[in-house]
Amino acid sequence: MQLDLNLLTVLDALLEEGSVMGAAERLHLSSPAVSRTLGRLRAVTGDDILVRTGHSMVPTPYAVSVREDVHRLVRQAHEVLSPVRELNLAELDRTFTIQCHDAVAASLVPVLVGRIRERASGVRLRVLAENSMDTNDLRHGRVDLEVGGGRPELPEFRSEPLGDDRLVVAMRADHPCASGLDLASYAAQPHVVISRRGRLTASIDDVLAAQGLRRRVVAAVATVSTALQIAARGDALVTCTAILGRPLIEAFGLVARPLPIESPAATINCNWHQRFDSDPAHAWLREQVRASLDEITAS
């Protein structure tokens, strides 16, 4: 049997008000409409619900026995359909999973963890490395946020640019090109390419080709840290982002020099699934990621 759950709302009003007229006023309905619904309730339950005693109506024993359950169910239904959107950070107990490449993890995540600990001590972060291939982790909720250069194209995903990060060339402090770098010398040096898929070329190679130049790539590695470690042990150059790459560049004792050609800055994107659009806690996390990057940029 298919039940009309609207009957519970009318039943709750009848039991609270003790009359058809009172229930009608409470529900902003006409008395005949409530009276008809009372008839349906009687048919469904096999009970009179309210019976007349003189000039008033009193609930039956059945109605008295279910009054609290009915009121609780109606209240719970109201809470489900009218969710609270206010976020209490002091009571927030949640684990968020962020996926990013190692430069983001080295630069953004420490600042983000500090902000979260100050504002919501019950929140924990799981930081995962980028996969070499695209996955469905974001779609299936195994990852809450992706932070990096990529941007999903399907309409079920949301993407917000957090800012731009210009490209620089990292090298040893005593590298022959540390004092100055032009396009010819840049192309002449050995290079390490950062590619999670192992590609041996990047967009900068198209720029070089337009100038009749070609660089010599000695390795393609998945992480910035591996690339910079190779640069620290030899003459290889690493083209990477300036802001996000700075902590790792400094950690390996390297220096960064401007890229000797005009090149578009790399966009830092924050990606998530649309299921989290109206989630206050997830929106707060995205705000903290933006604020953390602003803090890094300002410093």
Side-chain angles (χ1 to χ4, degrees), residues 231-249:
R233 296 172 63 88
D235 289 337
L237 303 181
V238 176
T239 302
C240 61
T241 54
I243 298 173
L244 294 182
R246 183 170 58 204
L248 290 174
I249 292 172

Side-chain angles (χ1 to χ4, degrees), residues 239-267:
T239 302
C240 61
T241 54
I243 298 173
L244 294 182
R246 183 170 58 204
L248 290 174
I249 292 172
E250 294 175 350
F252 285 106
L254 304 175
V255 296
R257 297 292 180 257
L259 191 67
I261 194 170
E262 287 294 329
S263 178
T267 300

